[in-house]
Amino acid sequence: MSRPGFVLEVDDRTPPMIVHEGLGFRLESFPLGTRVVYPPESLPAVPDVDEAIDHALRNPLDSEPLPALLKAGMRLTIAFDDLSIPLPTMKAPDIRGRIIEAVLTMAAEAGVDDVKLIAANALHRRMTAAELKHIVGERVFRSFYPQGDLYNFDAEDRDELAHLGTTDKGEDIEISKRAAESDLLVYVNVNLVAMDGGHKSVGIGLASYKSLRHHHNAKTMVHSRSFMDHKHSEMHQSAWRMGRIIKDTVKVFQIETTLNNDVFPAPYGFLQKREWEWSVKDQASMLAVRRGLSIAPPKLKHKMFHDLRSVYGLTGVNAGEVEAVHAKTLEKVHAQHCVEVSGQSDVLVMGVPYLGPYNVNSSMNPVLAACMGLGYYFNSYRGQPVVRKGGAVILYHPLNEGFNQLHHPSYVDFYEEVLAESTDPAVVGEKFEQQFAQDPWYIHLYRTSHAYHGVHPFYMWYWIAHALDHVDDVIWVGGNRKAASRMGFRAATTLQDALEMASGTVGTSPSITYLHNPPHLLTDVR
C-alpha cells in the first residue's frame, strides 16, 4: 500500500528542499512555518501489462468486446495521444504501442484490412518519424508508416475534415474526416493527469481550429475553476458537449491508461524522495548531478534532461464507452495524485521544471514557462486554489528567451509584438488571434514542418487567465528581468527578495505553501 501525499510544516530541523528551475534545480531553505505539499508515492503497477490490456479489450465498460466490434471489410481508425504526454517521455515500450499492437492483432484475426493510425496532435506540431516510432513501436511503425497509413493529424487540410454539426451553445464540431467516417474509431489515451482523456481525446485531439476556438479562449479559461476537475472546468464542459454529439455520430471505443509517479530514473532517483529520507547514496547522487549541471554547457544540460526516459508503471487500463471509461480513469488518477490540504495560503511557491507538454525535444521559452507554472501547476487543485484570492505566486525559472525557431516560430512574434502591446488575455485574443490563426506562413510551417500552429501561443496565454484573475502578484525567482517584465511580471534574485517584493500584497508575515512537484500532485483544498 502506498503512502498518501505528505504535508510538512517547515521548522528549524527541516533540511533545504529541492526546487526545480528549468534545466536544473536549487536547494532552498524556506521560512519557518512554510507548508510543503509532497506528491503521493507511486501506486503499485499492474503485475502483467499484456494481460491487463487484453482483459480491458475483451471486457469493456458499457460496450461490446472489441473483437465483436471488428468486422471484415470495415474501416478502422486508431487514434492516439501525441508526444505532449506523458512527461517526461516514457521508456520504451510505450504503453500506447503495446495497446495498438493488441488492437491490430484482433483486427487482423477479424479480417480487417482498412486500417489507419492517426496521431491526435490537433494544433500541436507534427511529430517526427522517430517520435512516432517511439510511441507505436518498431513493428507497427515498419508496417504502417512507409505506406502512409500512420500519420499526424492535419487540422488545416480542409479536404480531410468533417463538420458534424453544432452544440446547443453554437459550438462547431469539426474533426478528422477519416475518423468521422470510420466504422470504428479506437482512441488510445495516456491519462498522466486528471485533465486528460474523456471527451477531450477525440473532441480536441482530432479537432480543427474551427472547433477549438470555442473553448480555447480567454473567456472560457478564466471561468475554468481548475482544469484538473472537468466538472468545474468551462473548457471541459464545452468539450463534453461536443463529445456527446461526436458519440452520436461516430462509433468510438475509448481506451484509457493511468500511470504511477515513477518519473525519475537513476541517477535522478533522489528527486522522487523527500529530502530527509535521502540515503548517503542519494545525497552523493544529488551532489554529483548538481555539480555536473553547474559546469555543463547549455546544450549538454538540455540533452541530459530531454534524453531522460521515465520508468512509469501502468496502474490501470479501461476500455469501452467514453464516459464510463473516464470515470474509472479518474478514480486511479485521484488515488495517485490527490493530497488533502487544509485551507488557502497568502503565497504559493512553485518550481517550473525544464519540460512541459509543448517543448518535448525542444526549449522552454518564457511563454511556455508561464503556461506551465500559472496554467498547469496553479490549476492542479480540486475545490479551490491553494493560494487565496488576491494573494501572490512565486515561481522559479530562468525565463530564457531561447525560442526554438523550428517548433515555435509564431511564439517569437507573439512575445515581441503582441505582449509588447498588451498582456491581458482577453485583449490579446480579441485584437490579434485571428491574424495569427489565419497567417499563411504559420499554416505552411504547421503543415509541412514541425511547427506549432500560429495560434498556439495564444492558447498558452489563455491557460494563465484564471491565475491572473485570481492573484495580485506574480514574481519569478532567478528569472530574466526583461522576460518577466514583457509578460507583465516581476523578477527577483532570491526567495527572500521575492517575499519582500510581495509584502505590499500579502504583508510581511504571509502564510506560504510550496508545492513540491514533480512528480505530479493534485491538491484537494478543503
Side-chain angles (χ1 to χ4, degrees), residues 365-367 370 399-401 403 411-425 428 461 464 468 474 476 479-491:
N365 61 57
V367 175
L399 299 179
N400 293 327
E401 295 178 307
F403 289 87
Y411 278 71
V412 179
D413 292 336
F414 177 85
Y415 178 77
E416 295 289 353
E417 299 172 13
V418 175
L419 293 183
E421 185 155 334
S422 177
T423 58
D424 184 321
V428 161
W461 205 247
I464 75 174
L468 296 185
V474 176
W476 295 82
N480 178 308
R481 294 182 184 276
K482 175 190 169 188
S485 177
R486 172 54 54 91
M487 296 189 294
F489 309 131
R490 296 189 289 170

Side-chain angles (χ1 to χ4, degrees), residues 161-441:
L161 295 172
H163 193 273
L164 304 184
T166 58
T167 69
D168 58 2
K169 302 287 187 181
E171 299 151 320
D172 293 282
I173 304 161
E174 187 173 68
I175 66 169
S176 158
K177 186 176 181 180
R178 167 71 195 198
E181 295 181 352
S182 292
D183 297 297
L184 181 65
L185 170 61
V186 174
Y187 195 100
V188 182
N189 149 274
V190 178
N191 241 88
L192 185 66
V193 293
M195 183 186 73
D196 305 323
H199 287 302
K200 186 173 177 288
S201 294
V202 174
I204 290 182
L206 294 175
S208 70
Y209 171 69
K210 189 173 185 177
S211 280
L212 296 172
R213 63 192 173 96
H214 291 292
H215 40 65
H216 279 57
N217 58 66
K219 182 179 179 182
T220 299
M221 297 300 193
V222 79
H223 290 103
S224 289
R225 295 299 182 248
S226 177
F227 302 126
M228 301 299 170
D229 184 352
H230 77 272
K231 293 182 179 180
H232 296 95
S233 164
E234 288 292 330
M235 179 189 71
H236 283 81
Q237 291 303 302
S238 177
W240 253 241
R241 287 191 293 270
M242 294 180 178
R244 284 166 179 160
I245 291 179
I246 293 172
K247 175 182 170 181
D248 292 338
T249 310
V250 184
K251 179 64 176 177
V252 179
F253 188 84
Q254 184 91 350
I255 306 170
E256 294 191 355
T257 62
T258 52
L259 307 176
N260 64 18
N261 260 352
D262 287 342
V263 173
F264 296 106
Y268 304 99
F270 62 90
L271 294 173
Q272 293 276 139
K273 300 180 179 180
R274 299 155 191 157
E275 289 81 359
W276 67 87
E277 296 175 337
W278 285 349
S279 65
V280 173
K281 182 179 178 181
D282 292 326
Q283 293 180 47
S285 295
M286 182 275 295
L287 292 172
V289 170
R290 196 172 178 215
R291 188 177 299 115
L293 291 173
S294 68
I295 62 175
K299 286 187 178 180
L300 179 57
K301 286 197 286 188
H302 185 275
K303 179 175 174 58
M304 288 169 62
F305 278 103
H306 282 266
D307 284 353
L308 188 153
R309 296 291 178 263
S310 293
V311 291
Y312 306 104
L314 178 72
T315 60
V317 54
N318 289 284
E321 190 275 326
V322 177
E323 294 186 30
V325 167
H326 196 58
K328 291 292 186 182
T329 296
L330 288 179
E331 289 178 9
K332 282 291 186 182
V333 172
H334 290 159
Q336 176 61 86
H337 293 153
C338 279
V339 183
E340 288 192 11
V341 174
S342 178
Q344 297 175 300
S345 294
D346 298 315
V347 177
L348 172 61
V349 180
M350 299 177 287
V352 179
Y354 70 98
L355 184 62
Y358 315 112
N359 75 310
V360 177
N361 300 323
S362 188
S363 57
M364 176 80 83
N365 61 57
V367 175
L368 290 176
C371 175
M372 193 66 188
L374 296 173
Y376 286 95
Y377 282 176
F378 175 87
N379 282 281
S380 289
Y381 70 86
R382 294 197 301 174
Q384 56 185 343
V386 176
V387 61
R388 66 168 173 80
K389 179 76 171 176
V393 173
I394 296 175
L395 302 129
Y396 287 71
H397 196 273
L399 299 179
N400 293 327
E401 295 178 307
F403 289 87
N404 187 299
Q405 297 289 343
L406 173 64
H407 296 152
H408 305 120
S410 65
Y411 278 71
V412 179
D413 292 336
F414 177 85
Y415 178 77
E416 295 289 353
E417 299 172 13
V418 175
L419 293 183
E421 185 155 334
S422 177
T423 58
D424 184 321
V427 173
V428 161
E430 180 68 27
K431 192 166 184 178
F432 296 101
E433 180 182 311
Q434 287 301 306
Q435 172 190 334
F436 278 65
Q438 298 171 3
D439 185 280
W441 180 241

Side-chain angles (χ1 to χ4, degrees), residues 62-114:
D62 295 349
S63 169
E64 293 180 87
L66 181 60
L69 298 174
L70 298 168
K71 311 289 184 183
M74 75 183 305
R75 302 181 81 196
L76 171 65
T77 297
I78 303 172
F80 54 92
D81 286 339
D82 72 353
L83 53 60
S84 60
I85 46 178
L87 301 172
T89 301
M90 181 182 294
K91 182 180 180 181
D94 190 286
I95 188 60
R96 285 161 290 195
R98 299 178 74 166
I99 291 172
I100 289 169
E101 282 206 31
V103 172
L104 289 173
T105 298
M106 291 181 177
E109 291 171 350
V112 179
D113 56 15
D114 184 354

